[in-house]
Amino acid sequence: MDVIGVWLDDAAAARLARGLAALGFDPRPVAGAAALTPRLDGLVIGAGVLAAHGPAVRAFREARGEFGAPVVAVLDRDADEADVARALELADETAREPVGARELAARLRLLGRLGRAVAAGAAGGAPKTAATPWPMPVLARLVAGMAREIGSPVQYVGGNLEFLANTFARLVEALDGLGAVALRADGDEAALAQALAGLLDDEELRFFLEETPAAIRESREGLDRVTAIVHCVGRLVQDDGQAPRGVDVAGVVRDMLVVSRSLWKYAADVETDLEPGLPPVLCAPGKLCQAVLALLLGAADAIAARQGGRGGKGRIDVAALRRGETVEVVVRDGDAAGGAGDTPLPPREGLALVRSLLAGQGADLEVLSGREGQATVILRLPLAPGPVAIGA
């Protein structure tokens, strides 16, 4: 049974603790930093408490290791993107008030399972074909980011299912009441008509029924979003034991933007310029996905380093264009107005990672420094001789 610390400063703490207990967790109230012990398998913490006790939470996480204890921060309903970004500096996931025990349980379990799976792979528990040169801290960020991207649509689906359950419970209650009136009326059409008119005038029931189509539509959209994310993650971790083959570069860029979205969306806006009808390139698909992902993360990190916690957003431009017998993937970081700072893109270790991933693939990597210190990375990939084998 997972032991979950609950560190909230309001009456919701007891309610959430009871709900988590009913769902198979062992919730423990946390009254101060001293209670953040290695016995905890996870932590639910209010955003205000997190801001006040950030060093203690960071120390707790470091003591448990990269994937040891997921942390979910509970924010106010009206929290903005800056509030979310600050919370995610220490937490793996966020939830907004009013938050339910089922939502928290789903997020804690997802974070825990993803973390254990990646930790096992990094420790040698995964097949050799899945081995990766990615540093553990970066893997930890990716795991948390993927969990957030999956958790958001799952939250909408869960909320809509709860709404539909309440709707049908209310409908059954209304129909039962109408049936009881019909039995008692014993042919009294006036009484039955009056009961039916009351049912038709029930504003709460009308609201439920009017909102049901939207709840079903949003649930479908949420499931489609989860399906798309899982597809993109599958592209990222696919087995590259075979020889290089034709790859759709535009599809790789789109998929990696989905996978990395939670890691750049608070730091930068992304603009894409993907040339239509690009020919396939010759490369190992999984390695190309990881290389593009490394470039995107490097751009986001460069922008975040320049911002230095001052807020605001930068800009990442991503292009894929044909140049003779190659296709170029171009990643540039700058501010929202199109300028750039003087931080190299990506960091030195990021470039080394890309070169390591694409060694023997016939790819070429170039870093350019433009006006005002603008940094641009150009990844050149050879065209495949035949038709594309791996689609978007």
Side-chain angles (χ1 to χ4, degrees), residues 230-267:
V230 171
H231 163 79
C232 296
V233 173
R235 290 285 300 276
L236 177 64
V237 301
Q238 62 189 293
D239 181 2
D240 275 341
Q242 302 177 16
R245 51 200 186 274
V247 185
D248 175 10
V249 174
V252 167
V253 171
R254 294 189 192 98
D255 286 351
M256 293 309 100
L257 284 171
V258 171
V259 169
S260 62
R261 182 173 181 270
S262 67
L263 301 181
W264 52 255
K265 66 181 180 181
Y266 299 113

mmCIF file of all heavy atoms in Angstrom, residues 230-267:
data_model
loop_
_atom_site.group_PDB
_atom_site.id
_atom_site.type_symbol
_atom_site.label_atom_id
_atom_site.label_comp_id
_atom_site.label_asym_id
_atom_site.label_seq_id
_atom_site.Cartn_x
_atom_site.Cartn_y
_atom_site.Cartn_z
ATOM 1 N N VAL A 230 -0.129 8.619 -26.496
ATOM 2 C CA VAL A 230 0.435 7.265 -26.416
ATOM 3 C C VAL A 230 1.103 6.884 -27.734
ATOM 4 O O VAL A 230 2.175 6.270 -27.752
ATOM 5 C CB VAL A 230 -0.670 6.253 -26.040
ATOM 6 C CG1 VAL A 230 -0.158 4.826 -26.162
ATOM 7 C CG2 VAL A 230 -1.159 6.511 -24.616
ATOM 8 N N HIS A 231 0.481 7.264 -28.858
ATOM 9 C CA HIS A 231 1.088 6.997 -30.165
ATOM 10 C C HIS A 231 2.441 7.687 -30.273
ATOM 11 O O HIS A 231 3.426 7.091 -30.737
ATOM 12 C CB HIS A 231 0.161 7.499 -31.271
ATOM 13 C CG HIS A 231 0.831 7.646 -32.607
ATOM 14 N ND1 HIS A 231 1.084 6.578 -33.438
ATOM 15 C CD2 HIS A 231 1.318 8.746 -33.253
ATOM 16 C CE1 HIS A 231 1.697 7.007 -34.530
ATOM 17 N NE2 HIS A 231 1.835 8.321 -34.444
ATOM 18 N N CYS A 232 2.515 8.955 -29.847
ATOM 19 C CA CYS A 232 3.772 9.702 -29.943
ATOM 20 C C CYS A 232 4.843 9.103 -29.040
ATOM 21 O O CYS A 232 6.016 9.019 -29.422
ATOM 22 C CB CYS A 232 3.532 11.164 -29.571
ATOM 23 S SG CYS A 232 2.417 12.027 -30.707
ATOM 24 N N VAL A 233 4.457 8.694 -27.837
ATOM 25 C CA VAL A 233 5.422 8.061 -26.938
ATOM 26 C C VAL A 233 5.917 6.757 -27.549
ATOM 27 O O VAL A 233 7.108 6.406 -27.453
ATOM 28 C CB VAL A 233 4.795 7.822 -25.554
ATOM 29 C CG1 VAL A 233 5.729 7.004 -24.675
ATOM 30 C CG2 VAL A 233 4.467 9.149 -24.887
ATOM 31 N N GLY A 234 5.022 6.016 -28.208
ATOM 32 C CA GLY A 234 5.439 4.781 -28.871
ATOM 33 C C GLY A 234 6.479 5.033 -29.944
ATOM 34 O O GLY A 234 7.421 4.248 -30.113
ATOM 35 N N ARG A 235 6.339 6.138 -30.682
ATOM 36 C CA ARG A 235 7.344 6.491 -31.684
ATOM 37 C C ARG A 235 8.691 6.756 -31.020
ATOM 38 O O ARG A 235 9.749 6.416 -31.556
ATOM 39 C CB ARG A 235 6.905 7.744 -32.446
ATOM 40 C CG ARG A 235 5.733 7.585 -33.366
ATOM 41 C CD ARG A 235 6.096 6.860 -34.649
ATOM 42 N NE ARG A 235 7.130 7.562 -35.410
ATOM 43 C CZ ARG A 235 6.901 8.559 -36.244
ATOM 44 N NH1 ARG A 235 5.670 9.012 -36.411
ATOM 45 N NH2 ARG A 235 7.889 9.111 -36.914
ATOM 46 N N LEU A 236 8.642 7.381 -29.844
ATOM 47 C CA LEU A 236 9.874 7.758 -29.162
ATOM 48 C C LEU A 236 10.662 6.552 -28.662
ATOM 49 O O LEU A 236 11.895 6.530 -28.731
ATOM 50 C CB LEU A 236 9.540 8.687 -27.983
ATOM 51 C CG LEU A 236 10.698 9.131 -27.099
ATOM 52 C CD1 LEU A 236 11.686 9.977 -27.888
ATOM 53 C CD2 LEU A 236 10.173 9.912 -25.900
ATOM 54 N N VAL A 237 9.969 5.530 -28.174
ATOM 55 C CA VAL A 237 10.656 4.410 -27.524
ATOM 56 C C VAL A 237 10.725 3.168 -28.404
ATOM 57 O O VAL A 237 11.107 2.097 -27.932
ATOM 58 C CB VAL A 237 9.954 4.044 -26.192
ATOM 59 C CG1 VAL A 237 9.945 5.222 -25.253
ATOM 60 C CG2 VAL A 237 8.521 3.554 -26.443
ATOM 61 N N GLN A 238 10.413 3.286 -29.695
ATOM 62 C CA GLN A 238 10.402 2.098 -30.539
ATOM 63 C C GLN A 238 11.790 1.497 -30.679
ATOM 64 O O GLN A 238 12.805 2.174 -30.550
ATOM 65 C CB GLN A 238 9.831 2.442 -31.914
ATOM 66 C CG GLN A 238 10.632 3.477 -32.689
ATOM 67 C CD GLN A 238 9.904 3.935 -33.941
ATOM 68 O OE1 GLN A 238 9.726 3.160 -34.855
ATOM 69 N NE2 GLN A 238 9.482 5.185 -33.966
ATOM 70 N N ASP A 239 11.816 0.214 -30.966
ATOM 71 C CA ASP A 239 13.051 -0.552 -31.102
ATOM 72 C C ASP A 239 13.770 -0.143 -32.386
ATOM 73 O O ASP A 239 13.208 -0.217 -33.480
ATOM 74 C CB ASP A 239 12.714 -2.050 -31.136
ATOM 75 C CG ASP A 239 13.952 -2.929 -31.248
ATOM 76 O OD1 ASP A 239 15.062 -2.379 -31.258
ATOM 77 O OD2 ASP A 239 13.778 -4.153 -31.331
ATOM 78 N N ASP A 240 15.038 0.279 -32.253
ATOM 79 C CA ASP A 240 15.820 0.679 -33.413
ATOM 80 C C ASP A 240 16.914 -0.333 -33.717
ATOM 81 O O ASP A 240 18.008 0.009 -34.165
ATOM 82 C CB ASP A 240 16.449 2.057 -33.188
ATOM 83 C CG ASP A 240 15.491 3.180 -33.552
ATOM 84 O OD1 ASP A 240 14.529 2.903 -34.288
ATOM 85 O OD2 ASP A 240 15.696 4.301 -33.093
ATOM 86 N N GLY A 241 16.637 -1.610 -33.452
ATOM 87 C CA GLY A 241 17.630 -2.638 -33.728
ATOM 88 C C GLY A 241 17.837 -2.890 -35.208
ATOM 89 O O GLY A 241 18.830 -3.496 -35.615
ATOM 90 N N GLN A 242 16.904 -2.444 -36.041
ATOM 91 C CA GLN A 242 17.010 -2.677 -37.472
ATOM 92 C C GLN A 242 17.830 -1.568 -38.131
ATOM 93 O O GLN A 242 18.201 -0.579 -37.515
ATOM 94 C CB GLN A 242 15.615 -2.744 -38.100
ATOM 95 C CG GLN A 242 14.737 -3.824 -37.490
ATOM 96 C CD GLN A 242 13.343 -3.807 -38.089
ATOM 97 O OE1 GLN A 242 13.123 -3.208 -39.128
ATOM 98 N NE2 GLN A 242 12.409 -4.458 -37.418
ATOM 99 N N ALA A 243 18.121 -1.744 -39.403
ATOM 100 C CA ALA A 243 18.902 -0.764 -40.154
ATOM 101 C C ALA A 243 18.089 0.512 -40.345
ATOM 102 O O ALA A 243 16.856 0.493 -40.287
ATOM 103 C CB ALA A 243 19.290 -1.356 -41.512
ATOM 104 N N PRO A 244 18.750 1.663 -40.576
ATOM 105 C CA PRO A 244 18.030 2.906 -40.871
ATOM 106 C C PRO A 244 17.062 2.715 -42.041
ATOM 107 O O PRO A 244 17.332 1.955 -42.975
ATOM 108 C CB PRO A 244 19.149 3.887 -41.224
ATOM 109 C CG PRO A 244 20.352 3.356 -40.516
ATOM 110 C CD PRO A 244 20.209 1.856 -40.544
ATOM 111 N N ARG A 245 15.943 3.421 -42.000
ATOM 112 C CA ARG A 245 14.935 3.282 -43.044
ATOM 113 C C ARG A 245 14.227 4.617 -43.225
ATOM 114 O O ARG A 245 14.519 5.593 -42.528
ATOM 115 C CB ARG A 245 13.943 2.183 -42.686
ATOM 116 C CG ARG A 245 13.341 2.283 -41.291
ATOM 117 C CD ARG A 245 12.792 0.920 -40.889
ATOM 118 N NE ARG A 245 12.078 0.929 -39.640
ATOM 119 C CZ ARG A 245 12.654 0.785 -38.456
ATOM 120 N NH1 ARG A 245 13.973 0.688 -38.355
ATOM 121 N NH2 ARG A 245 11.934 0.756 -37.353
ATOM 122 N N GLY A 246 13.306 4.673 -44.162
ATOM 123 C CA GLY A 246 12.645 5.923 -44.480
ATOM 124 C C GLY A 246 11.782 6.434 -43.345
ATOM 125 O O GLY A 246 10.984 5.689 -42.778
ATOM 126 N N VAL A 247 11.935 7.702 -43.009
ATOM 127 C CA VAL A 247 11.200 8.311 -41.901
ATOM 128 C C VAL A 247 10.579 9.629 -42.355
ATOM 129 O O VAL A 247 11.212 10.416 -43.065
ATOM 130 C CB VAL A 247 12.138 8.571 -40.696
ATOM 131 C CG1 VAL A 247 11.331 9.086 -39.510
ATOM 132 C CG2 VAL A 247 12.894 7.321 -40.305
ATOM 133 N N ASP A 248 9.353 9.861 -41.947
ATOM 134 C CA ASP A 248 8.648 11.116 -42.212
ATOM 135 C C ASP A 248 9.090 12.143 -41.177
ATOM 136 O O ASP A 248 8.680 12.096 -40.014
ATOM 137 C CB ASP A 248 7.142 10.856 -42.131
ATOM 138 C CG ASP A 248 6.318 12.130 -42.261
ATOM 139 O OD1 ASP A 248 6.892 13.179 -42.607
ATOM 140 O OD2 ASP A 248 5.102 12.063 -42.022
ATOM 141 N N VAL A 249 9.943 13.097 -41.581
ATOM 142 C CA VAL A 249 10.499 14.073 -40.646
ATOM 143 C C VAL A 249 9.408 14.957 -40.050
ATOM 144 O O VAL A 249 9.412 15.242 -38.839
ATOM 145 C CB VAL A 249 11.563 14.939 -41.350
ATOM 146 C CG1 VAL A 249 12.040 16.052 -40.418
ATOM 147 C CG2 VAL A 249 12.739 14.094 -41.776
ATOM 148 N N ALA A 250 8.471 15.428 -40.872
ATOM 149 C CA ALA A 250 7.411 16.298 -40.361
ATOM 150 C C ALA A 250 6.600 15.583 -39.278
ATOM 151 O O ALA A 250 6.234 16.178 -38.259
ATOM 152 C CB ALA A 250 6.506 16.743 -41.503
ATOM 153 N N GLY A 251 6.332 14.289 -39.491
ATOM 154 C CA GLY A 251 5.614 13.520 -38.479
ATOM 155 C C GLY A 251 6.401 13.408 -37.191
ATOM 156 O O GLY A 251 5.840 13.493 -36.088
ATOM 157 N N VAL A 252 7.716 13.216 -37.298
ATOM 158 C CA VAL A 252 8.564 13.136 -36.104
ATOM 159 C C VAL A 252 8.511 14.453 -35.334
ATOM 160 O O VAL A 252 8.365 14.461 -34.101
ATOM 161 C CB VAL A 252 10.015 12.789 -36.497
ATOM 162 C CG1 VAL A 252 10.967 13.026 -35.318
ATOM 163 C CG2 VAL A 252 10.108 11.347 -36.956
ATOM 164 N N VAL A 253 8.626 15.581 -36.040
ATOM 165 C CA VAL A 253 8.592 16.887 -35.371
ATOM 166 C C VAL A 253 7.260 17.079 -34.650
ATOM 167 O O VAL A 253 7.221 17.486 -33.478
ATOM 168 C CB VAL A 253 8.837 18.015 -36.386
ATOM 169 C CG1 VAL A 253 8.573 19.379 -35.734
ATOM 170 C CG2 VAL A 253 10.265 17.956 -36.919
ATOM 171 N N ARG A 254 6.162 16.782 -35.328
ATOM 172 C CA ARG A 254 4.846 16.951 -34.696
ATOM 173 C C ARG A 254 4.721 16.073 -33.454
ATOM 174 O O ARG A 254 4.235 16.521 -32.408
ATOM 175 C CB ARG A 254 3.740 16.609 -35.689
ATOM 176 C CG ARG A 254 3.638 17.563 -36.880
ATOM 177 C CD ARG A 254 2.383 17.272 -37.676
ATOM 178 N NE ARG A 254 2.384 17.958 -38.963
ATOM 179 C CZ ARG A 254 2.738 17.403 -40.103
ATOM 180 N NH1 ARG A 254 3.108 16.122 -40.143
ATOM 181 N NH2 ARG A 254 2.720 18.096 -41.225
ATOM 182 N N ASP A 255 5.140 14.813 -33.567
ATOM 183 C CA ASP A 255 5.011 13.899 -32.432
ATOM 184 C C ASP A 255 5.860 14.344 -31.249
ATOM 185 O O ASP A 255 5.426 14.279 -30.092
ATOM 186 C CB ASP A 255 5.412 12.485 -32.848
ATOM 187 C CG ASP A 255 4.360 11.815 -33.714
ATOM 188 O OD1 ASP A 255 3.258 12.384 -33.849
ATOM 189 O OD2 ASP A 255 4.632 10.735 -34.267
ATOM 190 N N MET A 256 7.086 14.802 -31.504
ATOM 191 C CA MET A 256 7.955 15.209 -30.404
ATOM 192 C C MET A 256 7.495 16.514 -29.766
ATOM 193 O O MET A 256 7.739 16.747 -28.580
ATOM 194 C CB MET A 256 9.401 15.307 -30.881
ATOM 195 C CG MET A 256 10.007 13.957 -31.269
ATOM 196 S SD MET A 256 9.814 12.663 -30.001
ATOM 197 C CE MET A 256 8.396 11.722 -30.643
ATOM 198 N N LEU A 257 6.822 17.365 -30.526
ATOM 199 C CA LEU A 257 6.221 18.546 -29.923
ATOM 200 C C LEU A 257 5.113 18.148 -28.953
ATOM 201 O O LEU A 257 4.937 18.764 -27.903
ATOM 202 C CB LEU A 257 5.668 19.480 -31.009
ATOM 203 C CG LEU A 257 6.712 20.293 -31.776
ATOM 204 C CD1 LEU A 257 6.071 21.011 -32.958
ATOM 205 C CD2 LEU A 257 7.401 21.305 -30.859
ATOM 206 N N VAL A 258 4.359 17.097 -29.288
ATOM 207 C CA VAL A 258 3.324 16.594 -28.381
ATOM 208 C C VAL A 258 3.959 16.020 -27.118
ATOM 209 O O VAL A 258 3.540 16.328 -25.990
ATOM 210 C CB VAL A 258 2.475 15.518 -29.083
ATOM 211 C CG1 VAL A 258 1.546 14.823 -28.084
ATOM 212 C CG2 VAL A 258 1.643 16.134 -30.205
ATOM 213 N N VAL A 259 4.995 15.178 -27.284
ATOM 214 C CA VAL A 259 5.631 14.528 -26.138
ATOM 215 C C VAL A 259 6.250 15.558 -25.191
ATOM 216 O O VAL A 259 6.175 15.425 -23.965
ATOM 217 C CB VAL A 259 6.711 13.534 -26.617
ATOM 218 C CG1 VAL A 259 7.570 13.055 -25.459
ATOM 219 C CG2 VAL A 259 6.058 12.345 -27.313
ATOM 220 N N SER A 260 6.843 16.614 -25.744
ATOM 221 C CA SER A 260 7.593 17.574 -24.927
ATOM 222 C C SER A 260 6.768 18.782 -24.510
ATOM 223 O O SER A 260 7.291 19.680 -23.840
ATOM 224 C CB SER A 260 8.823 18.060 -25.703
ATOM 225 O OG SER A 260 8.433 18.737 -26.892
ATOM 226 N N ARG A 261 5.501 18.826 -24.878
ATOM 227 C CA ARG A 261 4.711 20.040 -24.710
ATOM 228 C C ARG A 261 4.734 20.579 -23.282
ATOM 229 O O ARG A 261 4.887 21.794 -23.069
ATOM 230 C CB ARG A 261 3.264 19.785 -25.141
ATOM 231 C CG ARG A 261 2.364 21.012 -25.052
ATOM 232 C CD ARG A 261 0.987 20.749 -25.653
ATOM 233 N NE ARG A 261 0.147 21.924 -25.573
ATOM 234 C CZ ARG A 261 -0.641 22.191 -24.541
ATOM 235 N NH1 ARG A 261 -0.702 21.346 -23.511
ATOM 236 N NH2 ARG A 261 -1.372 23.290 -24.523
ATOM 237 N N SER A 262 4.596 19.723 -22.297
ATOM 238 C CA SER A 262 4.533 20.208 -20.919
ATOM 239 C C SER A 262 5.858 20.795 -20.456
ATOM 240 O O SER A 262 5.891 21.518 -19.458
ATOM 241 C CB SER A 262 4.128 19.066 -19.980
ATOM 242 O OG SER A 262 5.146 18.093 -19.920
ATOM 243 N N LEU A 263 6.945 20.525 -21.184
ATOM 244 C CA LEU A 263 8.259 21.016 -20.777
ATOM 245 C C LEU A 263 8.609 22.357 -21.414
ATOM 246 O O LEU A 263 9.558 23.009 -20.980
ATOM 247 C CB LEU A 263 9.331 19.974 -21.115
ATOM 248 C CG LEU A 263 9.135 18.600 -20.467
ATOM 249 C CD1 LEU A 263 10.270 17.667 -20.844
ATOM 250 C CD2 LEU A 263 9.035 18.731 -18.950
ATOM 251 N N TRP A 264 7.868 22.772 -22.453
ATOM 252 C CA TRP A 264 8.154 24.079 -23.045
ATOM 253 C C TRP A 264 6.969 25.041 -23.026
ATOM 254 O O TRP A 264 7.144 26.242 -23.216
ATOM 255 C CB TRP A 264 8.658 23.940 -24.488
ATOM 256 C CG TRP A 264 7.828 23.115 -25.437
ATOM 257 C CD1 TRP A 264 8.105 21.871 -25.887
ATOM 258 C CD2 TRP A 264 6.589 23.499 -26.082
ATOM 259 N NE1 TRP A 264 7.122 21.437 -26.756
ATOM 260 C CE2 TRP A 264 6.189 22.415 -26.896
ATOM 261 C CE3 TRP A 264 5.801 24.635 -26.060
ATOM 262 C CZ2 TRP A 264 5.021 22.446 -27.654
ATOM 263 C CZ3 TRP A 264 4.633 24.674 -26.808
ATOM 264 C CH2 TRP A 264 4.264 23.583 -27.596
ATOM 265 N N LYS A 265 5.751 24.549 -22.770
ATOM 266 C CA LYS A 265 4.587 25.404 -22.981
ATOM 267 C C LYS A 265 4.528 26.588 -22.020
ATOM 268 O O LYS A 265 3.899 27.604 -22.334
ATOM 269 C CB LYS A 265 3.299 24.584 -22.889
ATOM 270 C CG LYS A 265 3.005 23.998 -21.513
ATOM 271 C CD LYS A 265 1.710 23.187 -21.570
ATOM 272 C CE LYS A 265 1.367 22.578 -20.220
ATOM 273 N NZ LYS A 265 0.121 21.775 -20.291
ATOM 274 N N TYR A 266 5.162 26.484 -20.843
ATOM 275 C CA TYR A 266 5.162 27.615 -19.918
ATOM 276 C C TYR A 266 6.343 28.543 -20.155
ATOM 277 O O TYR A 266 6.351 29.668 -19.665
ATOM 278 C CB TYR A 266 5.194 27.109 -18.473
ATOM 279 C CG TYR A 266 3.993 26.271 -18.115
ATOM 280 C CD1 TYR A 266 4.129 24.918 -17.840
ATOM 281 C CD2 TYR A 266 2.721 26.825 -18.079
ATOM 282 C CE1 TYR A 266 3.018 24.133 -17.533
ATOM 283 C CE2 TYR A 266 1.611 26.059 -17.777
ATOM 284 C CZ TYR A 266 1.767 24.711 -17.500
ATOM 285 O OH TYR A 266 0.682 23.942 -17.208
ATOM 286 N N ALA A 267 7.338 28.103 -20.915
ATOM 287 C CA ALA A 267 8.519 28.920 -21.181
ATOM 288 C C ALA A 267 8.468 29.603 -22.535
ATOM 289 O O ALA A 267 9.053 30.674 -22.712
ATOM 290 C CB ALA A 267 9.791 28.062 -21.088
#
